[in-house]
């Protein structure tokens, strides 16, 4: 049998509240994580596919923002070859992929979560078309996304997602993320997350290398216990709408992630002076105004400002003040989003 078609998905990035840092085996997390799925920061991926049951290895052409990109193409080729055992259909596919991000490539935003989630959604859509399935399998999409980039597995679901087996959340799994917004206070479902771009530069140490350094980090086991405990406290705070506890845990998680990097062998620092300047100013602003605005960080120097939507007007005043710490004054206004969208 032969079949051709085109599928296209828009997939958002996500920001972890309790961070995944350290992995084992086939991209399994050493501790559970929970994230907000974003909205404005997204990848759009279009895949034209040709299915041929006589084909035995996947074939690929890849364009990023309209141009061929050898580095990304190689990564995707390795990824496709690496999922043949769990997604055998891929070996019968020739894929012509065209992908673009809503944010500039060098904005300092990790694009692997949105791009791998978008590609995974395209792959399960292709499976649905070829096999004539009734619906796409989101668990499978999340699992495939995970094999591309761990954190990508959480981008498959709207609003809030949890990844990693734990005692607190029923149905949680190391294999894929699950949606987790039903038992959450509504204030968090329209939360804002504005991204302050402190630096556009590529990170000096990749996430892949950072995860690997957790294997010999002397604080690793304590950290994994702490992450489980933070998840417990955080989901309860989010159920009750307890902003103080939410903020306390989220900021502790951000600083712990970077503390782990500074305590690795060899140690390294991804924070920039302006990251610290912003953190201090956010904490001072919160103390002076009582506005519940908090920061978190990814594995890089950029700050995510988290706050309830109703405080946008006053937080805009803070953002105007913080612009001076941002590269080219760049701030991406984002917030909790509805997850992947088929185009
Ligand atoms: O998905 P990876 O392998 O790029 O790791 C990302 C890890 C953090 O972004 C730092 C934390 C997280 O849980 O997203």
């Amino acid at each position: 049998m032969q079949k051709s078609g085109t599928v296209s998905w828009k997939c958002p990035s996500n920001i972890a509240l309790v961070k995944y840092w350290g992995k084992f085996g086939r991209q399994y997390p050493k501790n559970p994580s929970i994230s907000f799925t974003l909205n404005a920061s997204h990848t759009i991926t279009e895949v034209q596919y040709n299915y041929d049951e006589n084909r035995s290895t996947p074939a690929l052409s890849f364009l990023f923002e309209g141009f061929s990109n050898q580095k990304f193409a190689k990564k995707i080729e390795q990824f496709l070859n690496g999922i043949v055992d769990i997604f055998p259909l891929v070996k019968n596919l020739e894929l012509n992929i065209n992908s673009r991000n809503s944010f500039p490539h060098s904005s300092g935003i990790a694009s692997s979560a949105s791009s791998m989630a978008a590609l995974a959604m395209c792959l399960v859509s292709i499976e649905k078309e070829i096999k004539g399935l009734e619906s796409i399998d989101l668990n499978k999409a999340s699992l495939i996304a995970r094999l591309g980039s761990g954190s990508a597995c959480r981008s498959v679901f709207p609003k809030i997602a949890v990844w990693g087996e734990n005692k607190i959340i029923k149905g949680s799994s190391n294999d894929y993320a699950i949606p987790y917004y039903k038992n959450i206070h509504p204030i968090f479902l329209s939360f804002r997350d504005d991204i302050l771009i402190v630096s556009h530069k590529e990170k000096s140490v990749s996430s892949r290398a950072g995860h690997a350094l957790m294997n010999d980090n002397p604080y690793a086991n304590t950290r994994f216990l702490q992450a489980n405990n933070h998840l417990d406290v955080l989901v309860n705070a989010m159920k009750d709408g307890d902003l103080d506890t939410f903020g306390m845990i989220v900021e502790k998680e951000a600083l712990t992630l970077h503390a782990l990097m500074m305590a690795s062998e060899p140690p390294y620092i991804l924070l920039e002076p302006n990251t610290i300047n912003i953190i201090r100013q956010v904490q001072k602003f919160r103390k002076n105004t009582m506005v519940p605005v908090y920061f978190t960080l990814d594995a890089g120097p950029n700050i995510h400002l988290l706050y309830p939507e109703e405080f946008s007007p006053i937080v805009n005043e803070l953002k105007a003040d913080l612009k001076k710490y941002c590269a080219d004054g760049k701030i991406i206004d984002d917030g909790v989003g509805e997850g992947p969208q088929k185009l």
Side-chain angles (χ1 to χ4, degrees):
M1 184 179 87
Q2 290 186 334
K3 197 167 177 173
S4 294
T6 301
V7 295
S8 187
W9 279 88
K10 173 174 154 183
C11 254
S13 187
N14 70 76
I15 181 70
L17 304 170
V18 171
K19 314 285 182 184
Y20 145 63
W21 200 239
K23 58 180 168 181
F24 69 97
R26 204 169 171 186
Q27 199 101 304
Y28 289 120
K30 285 264 182 87
N31 66 258
S33 56
I34 182 167
S35 56
F36 280 142
T37 299
L38 298 181
N39 179 38
S41 308
H42 65 256
T43 298
I44 291 178
T45 297
E46 183 186 276
V47 182
Q48 190 280 323
Y49 67 89
N50 301 313
Y51 169 82
D52 182 346
E53 63 186 351
N54 295 319
R55 174 181 285 287
S56 57
T57 49
L60 171 75
S61 86
F62 179 78
L63 294 182
F64 180 68
E65 284 163 5
F67 298 96
S68 68
N69 182 316
Q70 289 306 318
K71 194 175 139 204
F72 290 173
K74 202 161 170 244
K75 203 177 154 199
I76 290 173
E77 198 179 337
Q78 276 172 357
F79 162 71
L80 294 173
N81 285 312
I83 61 169
V84 169
D85 60 334
I86 59 140
F87 191 72
L89 182 80
V90 78
K91 65 180 186 302
N92 307 117
L93 293 173
E94 179 196 344
L95 302 170
N96 300 303
I97 305 177
N98 210 324
S99 196
R100 63 180 194 276
N101 294 336
S102 64
F103 40 89
H105 174 44
S106 58
S107 68
I109 308 236
S111 61
S112 59
S114 53
S115 60
M116 294 317 295
L119 181 56
M121 292 304 289
C122 288
L123 289 173
V124 293
S125 278
I126 292 170
E127 180 181 46
K128 175 176 173 274
E129 287 188 5
I130 289 170
K131 294 189 177 167
L133 306 175
E134 263 184 21
S135 57
I136 58 169
D137 182 341
L138 283 179
N139 284 351
K140 194 189 254 186
S142 178
L143 190 154
I144 292 172
R146 181 196 104 227
L147 293 171
S149 169
S151 58
C153 72
R154 298 184 309 240
S155 271
V156 165
F157 297 103
K159 298 180 177 93
I160 298 169
V162 168
W163 171 42
E165 225 170 275
N166 64 82
K167 292 200 181 91
I168 305 134
I169 293 166
K170 227 175 99 202
S172 58
S173 168
N174 280 348
D175 288 315
Y176 45 76
I178 56 169
Y180 192 78
Y181 54 85
K182 296 238 164 84
N183 217 4
I184 295 286
H185 191 282
I187 197 160
F188 293 107
L189 303 182
S190 60
F191 236 59
R192 304 302 307 161
D193 175 0
D194 297 330
I195 311 168
L196 283 68
I197 308 298
V198 170
S199 169
H200 303 297
K201 288 196 208 124
E202 202 163 311
K203 289 179 282 194
S204 55
V205 179
S206 69
S207 285
R208 178 191 290 260
H211 283 291
L213 288 173
M214 280 301 280
N215 293 336
D216 293 319
N217 190 306
Y219 303 104
N221 287 335
T222 310
R223 159 60 191 161
F224 303 139
L225 289 173
Q226 181 203 45
N228 279 277
N229 174 258
H230 280 176
L231 182 72
D232 195 359
V233 177
L234 187 75
V235 294
N236 277 306
M238 291 179 80
K239 175 164 71 65
D240 297 341
D242 174 354
L243 290 167
D244 286 345
T245 306
F246 168 86
M248 188 263 292
I249 296 289
V250 163
E251 292 192 349
K252 196 136 79 89
E253 275 291 311
L255 295 178
T256 300
L257 171 68
H258 286 264
L260 289 164
M261 296 174 193
M262 293 182 219
S264 290
E265 187 54 51
Y268 63 105
I269 302 177
L270 296 185
L271 303 177
E272 294 287 339
N274 279 339
T275 314
I276 310 287
N277 286 330
I278 294 172
I279 289 175
R280 289 205 193 290
Q281 198 160 324
V282 170
Q283 290 178 328
K284 194 164 139 202
F285 179 86
R286 187 169 68 227
K287 197 163 167 217
N288 291 342
T289 61
M290 311 286 279
V291 170
V293 54
Y294 309 100
F295 70 84
T296 190
L297 295 153
D298 227 325
N302 301 327
I303 296 270
H304 288 244
L305 268 192
L306 299 166
Y307 55 95
E309 192 180 25
E310 65 197 83
F311 290 97
S312 291
I314 181 150
V315 175
N316 281 343
E317 291 171 23
L318 170 66
K319 281 159 62 187
D321 250 14
L322 296 177
K323 252 182 191 250
K324 59 178 178 285
Y325 298 125
C326 299
D328 306 323
K330 180 92 182 140
I331 298 179
I332 297 174
D333 294 338
D334 212 331
V336 173
E338 294 307 310
Q341 195 188 337
K342 193 165 196 289
L343 302 177

